[in-house]
Amino acid sequence: MKDSTGDFFKQEDVTEQRRARHRRRERRRAVLVMLGSLVVMVAVLYATVTVCVWMDRKMQTNANGVGGPAASGVNAPEDGEGSVPGGSDGSGESVPGSSDGTGGVDENKGSLTETDGSTAENNGDVVDAMNNAKVYSQVELENQVTSAREQAVEAVLGSIRTGLSDGDTVLDTLRPLYPDEIVVYSNRKYHFVPINRQLKLNQWQQESLEILESGEYRYLQDGEVISHKGIDVSRHQGKIDWQLVAQDGVEFAFIRVGYRGYGSNGTLVEDDQFEANIKGAIDAGIKVGVYFYSQAITEEEVREEAELVLNKIAPYQIDCPVVFDVEKVAEADGRMNGLSVEERTRLTDIFCQEIANAGYRPMIYYNTEMGALMIGIEALEGYDKWFAAYTDQFYYPYEYKVWQYSQTGRVQGIQGDVDLNISFEPLWEVTE
């Protein structure tokens, strides 16, 4: 979403040259992070393999039964060796195994007692009682762990090598390795944010996403297109022929009402194309919603922004949500950049409450960095979300109703680039 103008936003369009420089810097900085991550992953894999081997031995032992029916039992060694952590398999019997966890049976300590009270020979009868359960010596276990560790390292390195060789970004390469975390690059660091699976998660399936030759996205369910095509516009799109836009299949449009400058004054500015855009879209039969680009840092300012929006949209039929656009400004002096997560979350909530109290449906617009690091998603879960990510992957885990997937789209009736969106359900009331 491009929301810069005049003295407040000197860099309206981020050039490809700047993006390329940023990507090169990002790759260089990521090398050390990736190596450190690799060490951590190998350590985790090492521990996991060790535990899995122990569990496999324990499960095999329990499944096959030790010493026959419950009436028989294995005597624990006198000095405590041979016991498995936990001390019992739940049947009241001690589970055989050496103190080092290798699964070996100490042949010199303990005996297998039959139900008639006779004592079996240690060597043959113990093996028979195990019913061919897997038993590992210390050396065998160490060899298996070493082999598994080497394979794990090779698999991780191979994944990283393949991803980078294919031209993937560092983020694209790292993210599959951390399925339980959101990996975000921000402030020259890689952040690993645990996914809260108690929140509403998005249910979109990758195989249901269809990408047309034109670059347009559609989402299918049972072979039928269920998504709706949308755009968002501001003064940057200039004069728009909304009839042609409608003919190109656009069903909804978010129109910018205005913005607050990011300088110290934080001047409130109305979008000078708002009236023309909202009238043109409605006349063309396109469903409209609106958004406001905020840089409020106080409760007074955010209420002022909500009041401006409500006054501007009062004369019109607003079928889609009214959106609070909360973004991090790339410039160092962005007013909202210095807010804490709690402060930014509270201001977002205040704006949404003001909109809801006026009878409209509030929505929050943000990207991965903002959603993972800069606002409290838990506190804002009750509001609909409009998520921005210029990718073809459903990476962000939490629920959102609208996806802005491109900022370089093309639509009839608009000269130059325009943001493209899809909604996964109608954003307006559907009448029979």
Side-chain angles (χ1 to χ4, degrees):
M1 212 178 266
K2 296 171 183 155
D3 291 284
S4 53
T5 189
D7 296 332
F8 302 112
F9 297 89
K10 298 178 181 179
Q11 298 179 346
E12 296 182 352
D13 301 306
V14 179
T15 64
E16 286 299 324
Q17 182 179 3
R18 185 175 179 181
R19 292 195 188 98
R21 287 200 304 270
H22 177 75
R23 286 194 294 268
R24 288 195 296 270
R25 288 197 301 270
E26 183 180 272
R27 285 179 184 242
R28 286 196 296 268
R29 292 174 187 135
V31 172
L32 290 178
V33 175
M34 291 174 58
L35 292 176
S37 301
L38 178 60
V39 172
V40 174
M41 286 186 290
V42 169
V44 172
L45 287 168
Y46 179 91
T48 302
V49 169
T50 303
V51 172
C52 288
V53 170
W54 177 82
M55 290 182 65
D56 177 71
R57 175 185 56 77
K58 184 174 179 2
M59 291 172 64
Q60 288 285 345
T61 301
N62 291 341
N64 291 318
V66 179
S72 64
V74 179
N75 297 328
E78 294 177 0
D79 62 357
E81 291 184 7
S83 62
V84 176
S88 171
D89 65 358
S91 64
E93 302 172 346
S94 298
V95 180
S98 67
S99 60
D100 59 13
T102 62
V105 176
D106 192 330
E107 296 178 357
N108 298 317
K109 297 180 181 179
S111 60
L112 187 65
T113 303
E114 307 289 354
T115 55
D116 61 1
S118 63
T119 301
E121 293 183 5
N122 288 335
N123 293 337
D125 289 349
V126 168
V127 173
D128 290 340
M130 295 287 286
N131 289 329
N132 296 321
K134 293 182 180 179
V135 179
Y136 300 94
S137 69
Q138 179 67 30
V139 173
E140 290 172 333
L141 180 60
E142 289 177 353
N143 288 339
Q144 289 198 32
V145 170
T146 299
S147 176
R149 181 171 54 190
E150 291 174 351
Q151 293 177 25
V153 170
E154 181 59 32
V156 172
L157 290 176
S159 175
I160 294 174
R161 185 187 306 112
T162 300
L164 295 179
S165 297
D166 290 344
D168 292 344
T169 66
V170 173
L171 278 177
D172 290 335
T173 303
L174 285 176
R175 283 172 170 172
L177 302 175
Y178 297 88
D180 294 320
E181 296 170 297
I182 305 174
V183 185
V184 186
Y185 184 76
S186 177
N187 295 329
R188 301 183 178 183
K189 296 180 181 179
Y190 286 89
H191 302 260
F192 298 80
V193 183
I195 296 172
N196 184 352
R197 300 196 181 277
Q198 300 303 312
L199 299 181
K200 297 176 183 177
L201 304 178
N202 84 63
Q203 303 300 315
W204 318 131
Q205 303 297 318
Q206 196 63 46
E207 59 271 17
S208 296
L209 179 65
E210 179 183 45
I211 302 178
L212 305 182
E213 291 184 3
S214 64
E216 180 181 330
Y217 286 13
R218 302 195 302 185
Y219 191 80
L220 284 67
Q221 189 173 80
D222 298 327
E224 299 292 330
V225 177
I226 65 167
S227 60
H228 301 270
K229 181 178 180 179
I231 59 175
D232 57 270
V233 299
S234 68
R235 60 177 291 275
H236 297 286
Q237 277 67 51
K239 185 177 180 180
I240 297 175
D241 186 332
W242 285 99
Q243 296 297 327
L244 288 180
V245 171
Q247 291 176 26
D248 202 10
V250 172
E251 299 176 72
F252 69 92
F254 286 110
I255 298 167
R256 189 177 72 170
V257 175
Y259 64 93
R260 186 183 293 277
Y262 68 69
S264 59
N265 292 332
T267 305
L268 211 57
V269 181
E270 298 180 15
D271 191 302
D272 56 20
Q273 288 295 310
F274 172 73
E275 302 290 347
N277 281 336
I278 194 167
K279 291 177 181 177
I282 291 175
D283 289 344
I286 294 172
K287 304 296 185 181
V288 299
V290 300
Y291 71 93
F292 187 89
Y293 177 85
S294 177
Q295 280 293 297
I297 58 175
T298 67
E299 181 175 336
E300 180 182 6
E301 286 185 349
V302 80
R303 292 189 188 279
E304 181 185 24
E305 293 174 356
E307 182 180 5
L308 171 63
V309 171
L310 292 173
N311 287 337
K312 295 292 290 184
I313 66 177
Y316 305 103
Q317 176 68 36
I318 306 298
D319 293 305
C320 299
V322 175
V323 181
F324 186 71
D325 178 3
V326 53
E327 295 188 44
K328 175 184 175 182
V329 175
E331 312 307 326
D333 56 348
R335 300 180 88 237
M336 288 189 81
N337 291 0
L339 295 178
S340 68
V341 172
E342 292 75 19
E343 290 171 326
R344 191 177 294 104
T345 301
R346 185 175 68 88
L347 295 180
T348 302
D349 186 43
I350 290 173
F351 182 95
C352 291
Q353 287 181 18
E354 291 291 307
I355 298 304
N357 291 341
Y360 298 95
R361 286 179 296 150
M363 178 177 274
I364 305 169
Y365 169 94
Y366 57 81
N367 60 13
T368 305
E369 179 186 28
M370 181 64 65
L373 300 174
M374 303 182 72
I375 57 174
I377 293 298
E378 295 85 354
L380 302 171
E381 189 177 26
Y383 300 116
D384 288 341
K385 310 299 190 307
W386 175 9
F387 177 66
Y390 308 138
T391 176
D392 59 0
Q393 299 294 313
F394 290 114
Y395 176 70
Y396 186 72
Y398 302 121
E399 182 182 75
Y400 50 91
K401 296 291 180 65
V402 183
W403 179 15
Q404 184 187 84
Y405 63 86
S406 175
Q407 62 178 347
T408 56
R410 293 302 176 105
V411 171
Q412 293 181 33
I414 298 178
Q415 297 295 320
D417 295 338
V418 64
D419 295 339
L420 296 180
N421 303 270
I422 58 172
S423 67
F424 298 93
E425 59 185 43
L427 300 174
W428 50 91
E429 184 178 350
V430 177
T431 58
E432 299 296 336

